[in-house]
Amino acid sequence: MVSVTLLATVIGLLVGNARYNVFTLLPAHLLIFAIDAALWLMGELGPWTAVMMTVLTVTGLQAGYLASVLLRLSRDDTVRAKTTFGLPRSNF
């Protein structure tokens, strides 16, 4: 269970470092839910073990993404995001 959580954290770091939107994590979450549900239905995992594995994996994915985004923002001296009108934002 620890190795799956660490793998999800590394994947989250890679996705966040590639400057993908946070909504790209949604298919990854759905894939995690499907895999854990399949393992539970096949009898490989107990119900509480499957729930705990799902929670830890999703949390690791989100923590990796958040850490990567925060690290990227701390390295950049200006935020290069644009507003809805296409004008650059002022520095924070």
Side-chain angles (χ1 to χ4, degrees):
M1 200 174 336
V2 173
S3 61
V4 175
T5 304
L6 289 174
L7 180 65
T9 305
V10 169
I11 290 172
L13 283 167
L14 293 175
V15 169
N17 198 22
R19 296 185 184 259
Y20 283 115
N21 195 350
V22 71
F23 293 113
T24 56
L25 295 179
L26 185 63
H29 287 94
L30 295 175
L31 182 65
I32 290 168
F33 292 143
I35 290 172
D36 289 343
L39 289 173
W40 175 62
L41 290 174
M42 288 187 329
E44 298 290 326
L45 298 174
W48 290 111
T49 307
V51 168
M52 185 59 71
M53 186 170 165
T54 303
V55 167
L56 287 175
T57 307
V58 167
T59 304
L61 187 68
Q62 291 177 357
Y65 182 83
L66 180 66
S68 178
V69 168
L70 291 177
L71 182 67
R72 189 178 70 224
L73 284 176
S74 70
R75 286 185 294 180
D76 291 344
D77 51 349
T78 60
V79 177
R80 296 186 183 102
K82 294 186 177 185
T83 63
T84 56
F85 300 111
L87 301 172
R89 291 184 183 175
S90 62
N91 292 338
F92 290 98

